[in-house]
Amino acid sequence: CDHAGPQKSIKDLSVNGFLNQCRVGSYVTRATETVPERRHKVKQNIDHIGKVVHLMRDPHDNVVSRFHMDNRQADSRHHDSYANNPEGFQAWCAAYDEVFLKKQASFFK
């Protein structure tokens, strides 16, 4: 959900909603000379799941990780990458602020 607004990041917090989200995953098939890389969505059978580990990360770490991921995928997303330094990070944050500030303000009114 790297380009999703707040309406797509707020999840159903019911028990069933949580269980359904825990069952969803994806895997990537590597590109070949004739076939591009592709991400496949999967939904596991609930009977095959014994335990679920839910990781909680510092939100600041998530933002920095998202910055690095976005930079690595810049060519495939058809946008320029940012310098891998504090100034590049600030520029990337400013670009995201510009995109989502209005969406977030209207969503949380």
Side-chain angles (χ1 to χ4, degrees), residues 40-83:
H40 305 270
K41 292 183 180 181
V42 294
K43 195 167 195 177
Q44 298 296 328
N45 183 330
I46 196 75
D47 296 328
H48 297 158
I49 300 172
K51 293 182 180 181
V52 175
V53 177
H54 194 90
L55 301 176
M56 304 295 281
R57 292 178 62 189
D58 183 319
H60 297 102
D61 291 340
N62 286 342
V63 172
V64 172
S65 292
R66 178 101 13 112
F67 166 68
H68 291 299
M69 181 188 72
D70 206 34
N71 258 352
R72 281 193 305 273
Q73 298 175 347
D75 290 339
S76 65
R77 293 183 182 203
H78 307 292
H79 67 75
D80 296 330
S81 62
Y82 295 89

